[in-house]
PDB file of all heavy atoms in Angstrom:
ATOM      1  N   ASP A 121       0.822  -1.207  -0.014  1.00 95.00           N
ATOM      2  CA  ASP A 121       0.010   0.005   0.002  1.00 95.00           C
ATOM      3  C   ASP A 121       0.877   1.279   0.002  1.00 95.00           C
ATOM      4  O   ASP A 121       0.536   2.269  -0.680  1.00 95.00           O
ATOM      5  CB  ASP A 121      -0.935  -0.004   1.187  1.00 95.00           C
ATOM      6  CG  ASP A 121      -1.798  -1.216   1.233  1.00 95.00           C
ATOM      7  OD1 ASP A 121      -2.770  -1.306   0.378  1.00 95.00           O
ATOM      8  OD2 ASP A 121      -1.558  -2.182   2.015  1.00 95.00           O
ATOM      9  N   PHE A 122       1.971   1.182   0.758  1.00 95.00           N
ATOM     10  CA  PHE A 122       2.942   2.345   0.733  1.00 95.00           C
ATOM     11  C   PHE A 122       3.464   2.541  -0.644  1.00 95.00           C
ATOM     12  O   PHE A 122       3.590   3.675  -1.162  1.00 95.00           O
ATOM     13  CB  PHE A 122       4.033   2.036   1.735  1.00 95.00           C
ATOM     14  CG  PHE A 122       5.267   2.899   1.546  1.00 95.00           C
ATOM     15  CD1 PHE A 122       5.214   4.249   1.852  1.00 95.00           C
ATOM     16  CD2 PHE A 122       6.436   2.361   1.036  1.00 95.00           C
ATOM     17  CE1 PHE A 122       6.329   5.086   1.645  1.00 95.00           C
ATOM     18  CE2 PHE A 122       7.536   3.110   0.885  1.00 95.00           C
ATOM     19  CZ  PHE A 122       7.495   4.507   1.157  1.00 95.00           C
ATOM     20  N   LEU A 123       3.875   1.472  -1.304  1.00 96.00           N
ATOM     21  CA  LEU A 123       4.457   1.558  -2.671  1.00 96.00           C
ATOM     22  C   LEU A 123       3.432   2.095  -3.696  1.00 96.00           C
ATOM     23  O   LEU A 123       3.735   2.968  -4.475  1.00 96.00           O
ATOM     24  CB  LEU A 123       4.980   0.233  -3.124  1.00 96.00           C
ATOM     25  CG  LEU A 123       6.194  -0.332  -2.339  1.00 96.00           C
ATOM     26  CD1 LEU A 123       6.499  -1.747  -2.708  1.00 96.00           C
ATOM     27  CD2 LEU A 123       7.399   0.523  -2.545  1.00 96.00           C
ATOM     28  N   CYS A 124       2.231   1.558  -3.575  1.00 95.00           N
ATOM     29  CA  CYS A 124       1.139   2.081  -4.472  1.00 95.00           C
ATOM     30  C   CYS A 124       0.936   3.552  -4.259  1.00 95.00           C
ATOM     31  O   CYS A 124       0.816   4.283  -5.336  1.00 95.00           O
ATOM     32  CB  CYS A 124      -0.150   1.328  -4.191  1.00 95.00           C
ATOM     33  SG  CYS A 124      -0.219  -0.337  -4.815  1.00 95.00           S
ATOM     34  N   GLN A 125       0.806   3.984  -3.067  1.00 93.00           N
ATOM     35  CA  GLN A 125       0.555   5.386  -2.807  1.00 93.00           C
ATOM     36  C   GLN A 125       1.750   6.242  -3.235  1.00 93.00           C
ATOM     37  O   GLN A 125       1.510   7.299  -3.921  1.00 93.00           O
ATOM     38  CB  GLN A 125       0.332   5.620  -1.312  1.00 93.00           C
ATOM     39  CG  GLN A 125       0.065   7.077  -0.964  1.00 93.00           C
ATOM     40  CD  GLN A 125      -0.148   7.318   0.535  1.00 93.00           C
ATOM     41  OE1 GLN A 125      -0.947   6.631   1.176  1.00 93.00           O
ATOM     42  NE2 GLN A 125       0.570   8.243   1.083  1.00 93.00           N
ATOM     43  N   GLY A 126       2.961   5.818  -2.958  1.00 93.00           N
ATOM     44  CA  GLY A 126       4.165   6.595  -3.345  1.00 93.00           C
ATOM     45  C   GLY A 126       4.290   6.710  -4.846  1.00 93.00           C
ATOM     46  O   GLY A 126       4.629   7.773  -5.358  1.00 93.00           O
ATOM     47  N   LEU A 127       4.056   5.603  -5.561  1.00 94.00           N
ATOM     48  CA  LEU A 127       4.185   5.630  -7.026  1.00 94.00           C
ATOM     49  C   LEU A 127       3.033   6.417  -7.674  1.00 94.00           C
ATOM     50  O   LEU A 127       3.227   7.111  -8.684  1.00 94.00           O
ATOM     51  CB  LEU A 127       4.284   4.213  -7.559  1.00 94.00           C
ATOM     52  CG  LEU A 127       5.575   3.508  -7.219  1.00 94.00           C
ATOM     53  CD1 LEU A 127       5.499   2.026  -7.572  1.00 94.00           C
ATOM     54  CD2 LEU A 127       6.728   4.137  -7.901  1.00 94.00           C
ATOM     55  N   ALA A 128       1.841   6.314  -7.108  1.00 92.00           N
ATOM     56  CA  ALA A 128       0.702   7.110  -7.641  1.00 92.00           C
ATOM     57  C   ALA A 128       0.946   8.578  -7.596  1.00 92.00           C
ATOM     58  O   ALA A 128       0.528   9.322  -8.456  1.00 92.00           O
ATOM     59  CB  ALA A 128      -0.574   6.693  -6.914  1.00 92.00           C
ATOM     60  N   ARG A 129       1.648   9.053  -6.547  1.00 87.00           N
ATOM     61  CA  ARG A 129       1.964  10.462  -6.416  1.00 87.00           C
ATOM     62  C   ARG A 129       2.990  10.942  -7.436  1.00 87.00           C
ATOM     63  O   ARG A 129       3.092  12.163  -7.722  1.00 87.00           O
ATOM     64  CB  ARG A 129       2.491  10.755  -5.008  1.00 87.00           C
ATOM     65  CG  ARG A 129       1.445  10.656  -3.937  1.00 87.00           C
ATOM     66  CD  ARG A 129       1.982  10.980  -2.611  1.00 87.00           C
ATOM     67  NE  ARG A 129       0.955  10.943  -1.611  1.00 87.00           N
ATOM     68  CZ  ARG A 129       1.165  11.100  -0.311  1.00 87.00           C
ATOM     69  NH1 ARG A 129       2.344  11.267   0.148  1.00 87.00           N
ATOM     70  NH2 ARG A 129       0.133  11.032   0.516  1.00 87.00           N
ATOM     71  N   ARG A 130       3.805  10.062  -7.957  1.00 78.00           N
ATOM     72  CA  ARG A 130       4.940  10.427  -8.787  1.00 78.00           C
ATOM     73  C   ARG A 130       4.716  10.142 -10.265  1.00 78.00           C
ATOM     74  O   ARG A 130       5.395  10.738 -11.104  1.00 78.00           O
ATOM     75  CB  ARG A 130       6.183   9.682  -8.382  1.00 78.00           C
ATOM     76  CG  ARG A 130       6.626   9.984  -6.966  1.00 78.00           C
ATOM     77  CD  ARG A 130       7.233  11.376  -6.949  1.00 78.00           C
ATOM     78  NE  ARG A 130       7.367  11.846  -5.585  1.00 78.00           N
ATOM     79  CZ  ARG A 130       7.465  13.104  -5.253  1.00 78.00           C
ATOM     80  NH1 ARG A 130       7.550  14.000  -6.179  1.00 78.00           N
ATOM     81  NH2 ARG A 130       7.600  13.473  -3.989  1.00 78.00           N
ATOM     82  N   ARG A 131       3.864   9.254 -10.618  1.00 68.00           N
ATOM     83  CA  ARG A 131       3.742   8.833 -11.992  1.00 68.00           C
ATOM     84  C   ARG A 131       2.272   8.709 -12.366  1.00 68.00           C
ATOM     85  O   ARG A 131       1.403   8.581 -11.509  1.00 68.00           O
ATOM     86  CB  ARG A 131       4.336   7.444 -12.224  1.00 68.00           C
ATOM     87  CG  ARG A 131       5.813   7.424 -12.208  1.00 68.00           C
ATOM     88  CD  ARG A 131       6.255   6.113 -12.697  1.00 68.00           C
ATOM     89  NE  ARG A 131       7.677   6.065 -12.898  1.00 68.00           N
ATOM     90  CZ  ARG A 131       8.344   5.005 -13.209  1.00 68.00           C
ATOM     91  NH1 ARG A 131       7.779   3.924 -13.362  1.00 68.00           N
ATOM     92  NH2 ARG A 131       9.664   5.126 -13.380  1.00 68.00           N
ATOM     93  N   GLN A 132       2.008   8.671 -13.663  1.00 69.00           N
ATOM     94  CA  GLN A 132       0.665   8.413 -14.140  1.00 69.00           C
ATOM     95  C   GLN A 132       0.267   6.988 -13.674  1.00 69.00           C
ATOM     96  O   GLN A 132      -0.730   6.872 -12.925  1.00 69.00           O
ATOM     97  CB  GLN A 132       0.601   8.429 -15.645  1.00 69.00           C
ATOM     98  CG  GLN A 132       0.948   9.760 -16.264  1.00 69.00           C
ATOM     99  CD  GLN A 132      -0.219  10.773 -16.165  1.00 69.00           C
ATOM    100  OE1 GLN A 132      -1.235  10.422 -15.521  1.00 69.00           O
ATOM    101  NE2 GLN A 132      -0.095  11.873 -16.800  1.00 69.00           N
ATOM    102  N   GLU A 133       1.043   6.036 -14.074  1.00 83.00           N
ATOM    103  CA  GLU A 133       0.698   4.622 -13.671  1.00 83.00           C
ATOM    104  C   GLU A 133       2.006   3.793 -13.802  1.00 83.00           C
ATOM    105  O   GLU A 133       2.689   3.919 -14.765  1.00 83.00           O
ATOM    106  CB  GLU A 133      -0.375   4.027 -14.571  1.00 83.00           C
ATOM    107  CG  GLU A 133      -0.837   2.702 -14.152  1.00 83.00           C
ATOM    108  CD  GLU A 133      -2.028   2.225 -14.954  1.00 83.00           C
ATOM    109  OE1 GLU A 133      -2.303   2.766 -16.053  1.00 83.00           O
ATOM    110  OE2 GLU A 133      -2.752   1.323 -14.473  1.00 83.00           O
ATOM    111  N   HIS A 134       2.259   3.050 -12.799  1.00 91.00           N
ATOM    112  CA  HIS A 134       3.490   2.122 -12.831  1.00 91.00           C
ATOM    113  C   HIS A 134       3.065   0.795 -13.411  1.00 91.00           C
ATOM    114  O   HIS A 134       2.045   0.203 -12.980  1.00 91.00           O
ATOM    115  CB  HIS A 134       4.021   1.998 -11.414  1.00 91.00           C
ATOM    116  CG  HIS A 134       5.311   1.318 -11.375  1.00 91.00           C
ATOM    117  ND1 HIS A 134       5.477  -0.051 -11.495  1.00 91.00           N
ATOM    118  CD2 HIS A 134       6.516   1.872 -11.143  1.00 91.00           C
ATOM    119  CE1 HIS A 134       6.758  -0.323 -11.352  1.00 91.00           C
ATOM    120  NE2 HIS A 134       7.424   0.807 -11.161  1.00 91.00           N
ATOM    121  N   GLU A 135       3.801   0.361 -14.428  1.00 94.00           N
ATOM    122  CA  GLU A 135       3.455  -0.900 -15.067  1.00 94.00           C
ATOM    123  C   GLU A 135       3.422  -2.065 -14.099  1.00 94.00           C
ATOM    124  O   GLU A 135       2.620  -2.972 -14.185  1.00 94.00           O
ATOM    125  CB  GLU A 135       4.481  -1.151 -16.177  1.00 94.00           C
ATOM    126  CG  GLU A 135       4.071  -2.258 -17.101  1.00 94.00           C
ATOM    127  CD  GLU A 135       2.808  -1.988 -17.912  1.00 94.00           C
ATOM    128  OE1 GLU A 135       2.582  -0.826 -18.322  1.00 94.00           O
ATOM    129  OE2 GLU A 135       2.068  -2.961 -18.168  1.00 94.00           O
ATOM    130  N   GLY A 136       4.314  -2.062 -13.099  1.00 95.00           N
ATOM    131  CA  GLY A 136       4.381  -3.107 -12.096  1.00 95.00           C
ATOM    132  C   GLY A 136       3.129  -3.183 -11.249  1.00 95.00           C
ATOM    133  O   GLY A 136       2.613  -4.265 -10.925  1.00 95.00           O
ATOM    134  N   ILE A 137       2.643  -1.996 -10.869  1.00 95.00           N
ATOM    135  CA  ILE A 137       1.433  -1.962 -10.063  1.00 95.00           C
ATOM    136  C   ILE A 137       0.246  -2.479 -10.887  1.00 95.00           C
ATOM    137  O   ILE A 137      -0.572  -3.268 -10.435  1.00 95.00           O
ATOM    138  CB  ILE A 137       1.073  -0.485  -9.617  1.00 95.00           C
ATOM    139  CG1 ILE A 137       2.239   0.040  -8.745  1.00 95.00           C
ATOM    140  CG2 ILE A 137      -0.265  -0.413  -8.955  1.00 95.00           C
ATOM    141  CD1 ILE A 137       2.339  -0.509  -7.380  1.00 95.00           C
ATOM    142  N   ARG A 138       0.166  -2.013 -12.153  1.00 95.00           N
ATOM    143  CA  ARG A 138      -0.917  -2.553 -13.021  1.00 95.00           C
ATOM    144  C   ARG A 138      -0.822  -4.054 -13.188  1.00 95.00           C
ATOM    145  O   ARG A 138      -1.855  -4.733 -13.150  1.00 95.00           O
ATOM    146  CB  ARG A 138      -0.823  -1.834 -14.377  1.00 95.00           C
ATOM    147  CG  ARG A 138      -2.049  -2.166 -15.255  1.00 95.00           C
ATOM    148  CD  ARG A 138      -2.114  -1.361 -16.481  1.00 95.00           C
ATOM    149  NE  ARG A 138      -0.903  -0.714 -16.864  1.00 95.00           N
ATOM    150  CZ  ARG A 138      -0.701  -0.100 -18.002  1.00 95.00           C
ATOM    151  NH1 ARG A 138      -1.642  -0.079 -18.899  1.00 95.00           N
ATOM    152  NH2 ARG A 138       0.453   0.479 -18.307  1.00 95.00           N
ATOM    153  N   PHE A 139       0.406  -4.569 -13.426  1.00 96.00           N
ATOM    154  CA  PHE A 139       0.555  -6.032 -13.579  1.00 96.00           C
ATOM    155  C   PHE A 139       0.095  -6.770 -12.344  1.00 96.00           C
ATOM    156  O   PHE A 139      -0.682  -7.714 -12.419  1.00 96.00           O
ATOM    157  CB  PHE A 139       2.011  -6.318 -13.922  1.00 96.00           C
ATOM    158  CG  PHE A 139       2.266  -7.786 -13.964  1.00 96.00           C
ATOM    159  CD1 PHE A 139       1.930  -8.583 -15.048  1.00 96.00           C
ATOM    160  CD2 PHE A 139       2.920  -8.450 -12.894  1.00 96.00           C
ATOM    161  CE1 PHE A 139       2.140  -9.921 -15.039  1.00 96.00           C
ATOM    162  CE2 PHE A 139       3.177  -9.785 -12.887  1.00 96.00           C
ATOM    163  CZ  PHE A 139       2.825 -10.531 -14.020  1.00 96.00           C
ATOM    164  N   VAL A 140       0.557  -6.343 -11.194  1.00 97.00           N
ATOM    165  CA  VAL A 140       0.252  -7.106  -9.970  1.00 97.00           C
ATOM    166  C   VAL A 140      -1.267  -7.009  -9.645  1.00 97.00           C
ATOM    167  O   VAL A 140      -1.852  -8.017  -9.258  1.00 97.00           O
ATOM    168  CB  VAL A 140       1.082  -6.515  -8.780  1.00 97.00           C
ATOM    169  CG1 VAL A 140       0.610  -7.082  -7.438  1.00 97.00           C
ATOM    170  CG2 VAL A 140       2.563  -6.863  -9.043  1.00 97.00           C
ATOM    171  N   THR A 141      -1.866  -5.878  -9.857  1.00 95.00           N
ATOM    172  CA  THR A 141      -3.300  -5.778  -9.520  1.00 95.00           C
ATOM    173  C   THR A 141      -4.163  -6.590 -10.542  1.00 95.00           C
ATOM    174  O   THR A 141      -5.292  -6.940 -10.239  1.00 95.00           O
ATOM    175  CB  THR A 141      -3.804  -4.317  -9.578  1.00 95.00           C
ATOM    176  OG1 THR A 141      -3.432  -3.716 -10.775  1.00 95.00           O
ATOM    177  CG2 THR A 141      -3.236  -3.535  -8.401  1.00 95.00           C
ATOM    178  N   SER A 142      -3.607  -6.970 -11.706  1.00 96.00           N
ATOM    179  CA  SER A 142      -4.264  -7.764 -12.657  1.00 96.00           C
ATOM    180  C   SER A 142      -4.289  -9.316 -12.292  1.00 96.00           C
ATOM    181  O   SER A 142      -4.999 -10.074 -12.907  1.00 96.00           O
ATOM    182  CB  SER A 142      -3.722  -7.619 -14.094  1.00 96.00           C
ATOM    183  OG  SER A 142      -2.474  -8.260 -14.197  1.00 96.00           O
ATOM    184  N   LEU A 143      -3.453  -9.662 -11.340  1.00 95.00           N
ATOM    185  CA  LEU A 143      -3.336 -11.038 -10.978  1.00 95.00           C
ATOM    186  C   LEU A 143      -4.423 -11.390  -9.895  1.00 95.00           C
ATOM    187  O   LEU A 143      -4.354 -11.048  -8.748  1.00 95.00           O
ATOM    188  CB  LEU A 143      -1.905 -11.360 -10.327  1.00 95.00           C
ATOM    189  CG  LEU A 143      -0.733 -11.070 -11.285  1.00 95.00           C
ATOM    190  CD1 LEU A 143       0.569 -11.193 -10.551  1.00 95.00           C
ATOM    191  CD2 LEU A 143      -0.794 -11.984 -12.450  1.00 95.00           C
ATOM    192  N   ASP A 144      -5.375 -12.171 -10.336  1.00 92.00           N
ATOM    193  CA  ASP A 144      -6.534 -12.467  -9.492  1.00 92.00           C
ATOM    194  C   ASP A 144      -6.214 -13.382  -8.314  1.00 92.00           C
ATOM    195  O   ASP A 144      -6.928 -13.371  -7.327  1.00 92.00           O
ATOM    196  CB  ASP A 144      -7.642 -13.143 -10.316  1.00 92.00           C
ATOM    197  CG  ASP A 144      -8.273 -12.251 -11.346  1.00 92.00           C
ATOM    198  OD1 ASP A 144      -8.146 -10.962 -11.173  1.00 92.00           O
ATOM    199  OD2 ASP A 144      -8.797 -12.722 -12.357  1.00 92.00           O
ATOM    200  N   LYS A 145      -5.136 -14.172  -8.456  1.00 94.00           N
ATOM    201  CA  LYS A 145      -4.788 -15.117  -7.385  1.00 94.00           C
ATOM    202  C   LYS A 145      -4.252 -14.412  -6.139  1.00 94.00           C
ATOM    203  O   LYS A 145      -4.234 -15.002  -5.037  1.00 94.00           O
ATOM    204  CB  LYS A 145      -3.751 -16.131  -7.910  1.00 94.00           C
ATOM    205  CG  LYS A 145      -4.310 -17.075  -8.907  1.00 94.00           C
ATOM    206  CD  LYS A 145      -3.252 -18.082  -9.319  1.00 94.00           C
ATOM    207  CE  LYS A 145      -3.810 -19.117 -10.264  1.00 94.00           C
ATOM    208  NZ  LYS A 145      -2.854 -20.119 -10.660  1.00 94.00           N
ATOM    209  N   LEU A 146      -3.748 -13.193  -6.300  1.00 94.00           N
ATOM    210  CA  LEU A 146      -3.193 -12.472  -5.163  1.00 94.00           C
ATOM    211  C   LEU A 146      -4.246 -11.805  -4.331  1.00 94.00           C
ATOM    212  O   LEU A 146      -4.932 -10.923  -4.857  1.00 94.00           O
ATOM    213  CB  LEU A 146      -2.105 -11.491  -5.587  1.00 94.00           C
ATOM    214  CG  LEU A 146      -0.973 -12.056  -6.380  1.00 94.00           C
ATOM    215  CD1 LEU A 146      -0.038 -10.997  -6.915  1.00 94.00           C
ATOM    216  CD2 LEU A 146      -0.163 -13.053  -5.522  1.00 94.00           C
ATOM    217  N   LYS A 147      -4.397 -12.190  -3.120  1.00 89.00           N
ATOM    218  CA  LYS A 147      -5.562 -11.663  -2.292  1.00 89.00           C
ATOM    219  C   LYS A 147      -5.063 -10.754  -1.156  1.00 89.00           C
ATOM    220  O   LYS A 147      -5.867  -9.995  -0.624  1.00 89.00           O
ATOM    221  CB  LYS A 147      -6.281 -12.893  -1.679  1.00 89.00           C
ATOM    222  CG  LYS A 147      -6.871 -13.835  -2.703  1.00 89.00           C
ATOM    223  CD  LYS A 147      -7.899 -13.227  -3.557  1.00 89.00           C
ATOM    224  CE  LYS A 147      -8.495 -14.265  -4.474  1.00 89.00           C
ATOM    225  NZ  LYS A 147      -9.201 -13.709  -5.590  1.00 89.00           N
ATOM    226  N   THR A 148      -3.772 -10.833  -0.794  1.00 91.00           N
ATOM    227  CA  THR A 148      -3.361 -10.038   0.362  1.00 91.00           C
ATOM    228  C   THR A 148      -2.324  -9.000  -0.029  1.00 91.00           C
ATOM    229  O   THR A 148      -1.640  -9.149  -1.069  1.00 91.00           O
ATOM    230  CB  THR A 148      -2.644 -10.975   1.404  1.00 91.00           C
ATOM    231  OG1 THR A 148      -1.427 -11.482   0.892  1.00 91.00           O
ATOM    232  CG2 THR A 148      -3.595 -12.095   1.862  1.00 91.00           C
ATOM    233  N   PRO A 149      -2.170  -7.942   0.721  1.00 92.00           N
ATOM    234  CA  PRO A 149      -1.160  -6.909   0.420  1.00 92.00           C
ATOM    235  C   PRO A 149       0.262  -7.486   0.418  1.00 92.00           C
ATOM    236  O   PRO A 149       1.084  -7.084  -0.348  1.00 92.00           O
ATOM    237  CB  PRO A 149      -1.323  -5.877   1.549  1.00 92.00           C
ATOM    238  CG  PRO A 149      -2.723  -6.045   2.039  1.00 92.00           C
ATOM    239  CD  PRO A 149      -3.031  -7.477   1.864  1.00 92.00           C
ATOM    240  N   VAL A 150       0.544  -8.450   1.345  1.00 93.00           N
ATOM    241  CA  VAL A 150       1.893  -9.038   1.370  1.00 93.00           C
ATOM    242  C   VAL A 150       2.122  -9.816   0.042  1.00 93.00           C
ATOM    243  O   VAL A 150       3.240  -9.696  -0.533  1.00 93.00           O
ATOM    244  CB  VAL A 150       2.013  -9.977   2.597  1.00 93.00           C
ATOM    245  CG1 VAL A 150       3.354 -10.730   2.580  1.00 93.00           C
ATOM    246  CG2 VAL A 150       1.963  -9.165   3.897  1.00 93.00           C
ATOM    247  N   GLY A 151       1.185 -10.540  -0.409  1.00 95.00           N
ATOM    248  CA  GLY A 151       1.309 -11.305  -1.664  1.00 95.00           C
ATOM    249  C   GLY A 151       1.505 -10.371  -2.852  1.00 95.00           C
ATOM    250  O   GLY A 151       2.367 -10.626  -3.724  1.00 95.00           O
ATOM    251  N   ARG A 152       0.791  -9.279  -2.864  1.00 96.00           N
ATOM    252  CA  ARG A 152       0.930  -8.296  -3.934  1.00 96.00           C
ATOM    253  C   ARG A 152       2.292  -7.627  -3.846  1.00 96.00           C
ATOM    254  O   ARG A 152       2.939  -7.368  -4.877  1.00 96.00           O
ATOM    255  CB  ARG A 152      -0.157  -7.280  -3.860  1.00 96.00           C
ATOM    256  CG  ARG A 152      -1.519  -7.834  -4.262  1.00 96.00           C
ATOM    257  CD  ARG A 152      -2.626  -6.749  -4.273  1.00 96.00           C
ATOM    258  NE  ARG A 152      -3.902  -7.423  -4.422  1.00 96.00           N
ATOM    259  CZ  ARG A 152      -4.785  -7.550  -3.515  1.00 96.00           C
ATOM    260  NH1 ARG A 152      -4.588  -7.105  -2.302  1.00 96.00           N
ATOM    261  NH2 ARG A 152      -5.909  -8.121  -3.766  1.00 96.00           N
ATOM    262  N   GLY A 153       2.723  -7.299  -2.597  1.00 97.00           N
ATOM    263  CA  GLY A 153       4.024  -6.703  -2.435  1.00 97.00           C
ATOM    264  C   GLY A 153       5.166  -7.622  -2.951  1.00 97.00           C
ATOM    265  O   GLY A 153       6.103  -7.175  -3.591  1.00 97.00           O
ATOM    266  N   ARG A 154       5.049  -8.902  -2.580  1.00 96.00           N
ATOM    267  CA  ARG A 154       6.061  -9.861  -3.030  1.00 96.00           C
ATOM    268  C   ARG A 154       6.099  -9.954  -4.587  1.00 96.00           C
ATOM    269  O   ARG A 154       7.191 -10.009  -5.189  1.00 96.00           O
ATOM    270  CB  ARG A 154       5.822 -11.241  -2.420  1.00 96.00           C
ATOM    271  CG  ARG A 154       6.106 -11.267  -0.928  1.00 96.00           C
ATOM    272  CD  ARG A 154       5.721 -12.574  -0.353  1.00 96.00           C
ATOM    273  NE  ARG A 154       6.050 -12.560   1.077  1.00 96.00           N
ATOM    274  CZ  ARG A 154       5.556 -13.437   1.975  1.00 96.00           C
ATOM    275  NH1 ARG A 154       4.800 -14.411   1.551  1.00 96.00           N
ATOM    276  NH2 ARG A 154       5.892 -13.334   3.218  1.00 96.00           N
ATOM    277  N   ALA A 155       4.931  -9.991  -5.220  1.00 97.00           N
ATOM    278  CA  ALA A 155       4.891 -10.055  -6.652  1.00 97.00           C
ATOM    279  C   ALA A 155       5.467  -8.797  -7.284  1.00 97.00           C
ATOM    280  O   ALA A 155       6.141  -8.836  -8.314  1.00 97.00           O
ATOM    281  CB  ALA A 155       3.438 -10.271  -7.114  1.00 97.00           C
ATOM    282  N   PHE A 156       5.220  -7.681  -6.672  1.00 97.00           N
ATOM    283  CA  PHE A 156       5.752  -6.390  -7.129  1.00 97.00           C
ATOM    284  C   PHE A 156       7.245  -6.404  -7.063  1.00 97.00           C
ATOM    285  O   PHE A 156       7.970  -5.967  -8.017  1.00 97.00           O
ATOM    286  CB  PHE A 156       5.153  -5.194  -6.352  1.00 97.00           C
ATOM    287  CG  PHE A 156       5.681  -3.900  -6.880  1.00 97.00           C
ATOM    288  CD1 PHE A 156       5.146  -3.304  -8.005  1.00 97.00           C
ATOM    289  CD2 PHE A 156       6.676  -3.199  -6.155  1.00 97.00           C
ATOM    290  CE1 PHE A 156       5.595  -2.090  -8.447  1.00 97.00           C
ATOM    291  CE2 PHE A 156       7.113  -1.999  -6.610  1.00 97.00           C
ATOM    292  CZ  PHE A 156       6.618  -1.440  -7.763  1.00 97.00           C
ATOM    293  N   LEU A 157       7.839  -6.889  -5.952  1.00 97.00           N
ATOM    294  CA  LEU A 157       9.315  -6.924  -5.833  1.00 97.00           C
ATOM    295  C   LEU A 157       9.893  -7.778  -6.934  1.00 97.00           C
ATOM    296  O   LEU A 157      10.875  -7.430  -7.542  1.00 97.00           O
ATOM    297  CB  LEU A 157       9.699  -7.503  -4.459  1.00 97.00           C
ATOM    298  CG  LEU A 157       9.378  -6.577  -3.248  1.00 97.00           C
ATOM    299  CD1 LEU A 157       9.771  -7.299  -1.938  1.00 97.00           C
ATOM    300  CD2 LEU A 157      10.052  -5.257  -3.358  1.00 97.00           C
ATOM    301  N   ARG A 158       9.277  -8.920  -7.178  1.00 97.00           N
ATOM    302  CA  ARG A 158       9.741  -9.846  -8.259  1.00 97.00           C
ATOM    303  C   ARG A 158       9.622  -9.160  -9.603  1.00 97.00           C
ATOM    304  O   ARG A 158      10.579  -9.254 -10.434  1.00 97.00           O
ATOM    305  CB  ARG A 158       8.995 -11.170  -8.224  1.00 97.00           C
ATOM    306  CG  ARG A 158       9.268 -11.996  -6.955  1.00 97.00           C
ATOM    307  CD  ARG A 158       8.316 -13.156  -6.821  1.00 97.00           C
ATOM    308  NE  ARG A 158       8.524 -14.128  -7.883  1.00 97.00           N
ATOM    309  CZ  ARG A 158       9.403 -15.116  -7.883  1.00 97.00           C
ATOM    310  NH1 ARG A 158      10.157 -15.246  -6.842  1.00 97.00           N
ATOM    311  NH2 ARG A 158       9.420 -15.939  -8.877  1.00 97.00           N
ATOM    312  N   TYR A 159       8.548  -8.548  -9.871  1.00 97.00           N
ATOM    313  CA  TYR A 159       8.332  -7.796 -11.138  1.00 97.00           C
ATOM    314  C   TYR A 159       9.454  -6.772 -11.318  1.00 97.00           C
ATOM    315  O   TYR A 159      10.069  -6.651 -12.379  1.00 97.00           O
ATOM    316  CB  TYR A 159       6.987  -7.109 -11.174  1.00 97.00           C
ATOM    317  CG  TYR A 159       6.762  -6.332 -12.437  1.00 97.00           C
ATOM    318  CD1 TYR A 159       6.116  -6.892 -13.525  1.00 97.00           C
ATOM    319  CD2 TYR A 159       7.195  -5.033 -12.533  1.00 97.00           C
ATOM    320  CE1 TYR A 159       5.906  -6.197 -14.687  1.00 97.00           C
ATOM    321  CE2 TYR A 159       6.991  -4.294 -13.716  1.00 97.00           C
ATOM    322  CZ  TYR A 159       6.362  -4.872 -14.811  1.00 97.00           C
ATOM    323  OH  TYR A 159       6.179  -4.187 -15.949  1.00 97.00           O
ATOM    324  N   CYS A 160       9.762  -5.988 -10.286  1.00 97.00           N
ATOM    325  CA  CYS A 160      10.737  -4.933 -10.359  1.00 97.00           C
ATOM    326  C   CYS A 160      12.159  -5.548 -10.520  1.00 97.00           C
ATOM    327  O   CYS A 160      12.964  -4.908 -11.287  1.00 97.00           O
ATOM    328  CB  CYS A 160      10.690  -4.061  -9.131  1.00 97.00           C
ATOM    329  SG  CYS A 160       9.243  -2.958  -9.143  1.00 97.00           S
TER     330      CYS A 160
END
């Protein structure tokens, strides 16, 4: 949530955020955060 908020303030849209939010299997913020780290 911290990363989402921080990136939203700086950019139009971060490709990694968009990718992770498109993954239906990820249900928790920790899971999304881990997927985002791997994407990055």
Side-chain angles (χ1 to χ4, degrees):
D121 302 287
F122 163 71
L123 294 170
C124 285
Q125 178 181 311
L127 290 169
R129 289 181 176 175
R130 298 286 166 198
R131 288 191 171 175
Q132 297 281 9
E133 187 172 18
H134 190 282
E135 192 64 35
I137 300 287
R138 187 172 17 170
F139 173 77
V140 170
T141 54
S142 75
L143 300 173
D144 294 336
K145 290 183 179 182
L146 299 176
K147 303 292 184 199
T148 67
V150 173
R152 289 184 189 105
R154 289 175 179 164
F156 181 78
L157 293 177
R158 293 170 66 85
Y159 178 93
C160 286

